[in-house]
Amino acid sequence: MREAYHVQLDQLADQLADMCVQVAEAMERATTALLGADLQLAEQVISSDNEIDDARSACEEQAYALLALQAPVATDLRTVLAAIHAAESLERMGDLALHVAKAARRRHPQHVLPEQVSGYFAEMGKVTVRMAQKAEQVIRSKDVDSARALEDDDDEVDDLHRHLFTVLMDKEWPHGVATAVDVTLLGRFYERFADHAVSVARRVVFMVTGKMPGSDNDDVDV
């Protein structure tokens, strides 16, 4: 019975890791759609969001079944609780990629981003996708040092986000209020995506060590 229980825990971790792959692909495609005004790619992200939602539901159902049937304690209990929180963060990451794709679709055939800021979003897209990919490896390896290293990537996104605002606040900004609003919202989506990736990594640290790292980005909203 105990062996079968740990197989179920491993399956739960695999489901979460697979969700990381899904949200990384979603944000990569959404960023490409945003930068290239690619309607077809944006539609792919939008139509596949239900798959991420379903994956979260499957993770939660398995986690609650383990709580109800196995009454886990100590590390096993932390694993199940961490999985529930991580699944929520990963679904929100999928939602944020969805928001980016919807922005690209809404403005099509025009580009959402003026060339002046497109480089910031290309870089934020690259870093956030990398963070989701690293989160997958952290879940599979349960490597605490790798989990904590995601904080550095988050700092990189925060720096890009701050620099983006210096461009928006320039009195010579030539693109009008509507474009400034679009850029502001999109920047926020990438920043929140990174925060949720950090939250997933912190849940792994909690699972392994029993201690939750600093809570600045732990419970973040879409």
Side-chain angles (χ1 to χ4, degrees):
M1 287 290 293
R2 197 67 185 167
E3 183 177 346
Y5 173 53
H6 280 103
V7 168
Q8 289 176 301
L9 286 176
D10 289 342
Q11 290 173 342
L12 183 57
D14 285 341
Q15 286 176 281
L16 289 171
D18 289 343
M19 282 189 73
C20 291
V21 174
Q22 287 178 292
V23 299
E25 291 177 349
M27 183 53 94
E28 186 171 35
R29 290 173 180 171
T31 301
T32 301
L34 180 69
L35 295 172
D38 188 325
L39 180 60
Q40 183 177 358
L41 208 52
E43 293 287 4
Q44 286 179 20
V45 176
I46 293 165
S47 63
S48 65
D49 183 64
N50 286 339
E51 296 174 12
I52 297 173
D53 295 343
D54 291 344
R56 177 197 174 173
S57 296
C59 285
E60 287 187 339
E61 286 176 11
Q62 182 158 351
Y64 288 132
L66 288 169
L67 286 174
L69 299 175
Q70 301 292 344
V73 296
T75 302
D76 290 346
L77 177 59
R78 293 201 302 270
T79 298
V80 177
L81 294 176
I84 292 170
H85 286 289
E88 179 183 8
S89 286
L90 287 163
E91 186 197 11
R92 289 183 179 179
M93 290 164 75
D95 289 339
L96 290 159
L98 173 69
H99 294 335
V100 174
K102 283 185 173 180
R105 182 177 69 176
R106 185 172 61 252
R107 296 299 185 191
H108 186 269
Q110 285 77 36
H111 284 73
V112 181
L113 302 174
E115 188 175 347
Q116 190 176 357
V117 298
S118 61
Y120 289 98
F121 284 92
E123 190 61 26
M124 283 193 292
K126 186 186 303 181
V127 178
T128 51
V129 169
R130 186 173 72 224
M131 290 179 73
Q133 292 168 340
K134 286 183 177 180
E136 178 208 354
Q137 295 305 313
V138 163
I139 290 170
R140 295 193 191 279
S141 68
K142 298 180 178 62
D143 187 320
V144 169
D145 290 336
S146 295
R148 288 174 173 150
L150 261 76
E151 303 274 358
D152 294 334
D153 294 305
D154 185 47
D155 289 342
E156 188 175 349
V157 174
D158 288 342
D159 286 343
L160 288 163
H161 193 231
R162 280 192 293 270
H163 287 139
L164 178 64
F165 268 93
T166 66
V167 177
L168 288 173
M169 297 303 292
D170 191 325
K171 62 182 181 181
E172 301 298 328
W173 173 259
H175 305 292
V177 173
T179 299
V181 170
D182 281 340
V183 171
T184 300
L185 288 173
L186 285 162
R188 181 67 167 171
F189 298 154
Y190 283 90
E191 191 241 348
R192 292 287 89 183
F193 188 99
D195 286 346
H196 281 296
V198 169
S199 181
V200 171
R202 287 178 171 179
R203 297 296 173 183
V204 174
V205 174
F206 168 70
M207 178 186 70
V208 174
T209 68
K211 297 180 180 180
M212 180 67 76
S215 59
D216 288 349
N217 291 334
D218 258 350
D219 298 310
V220 287
D221 298 323
V222 170

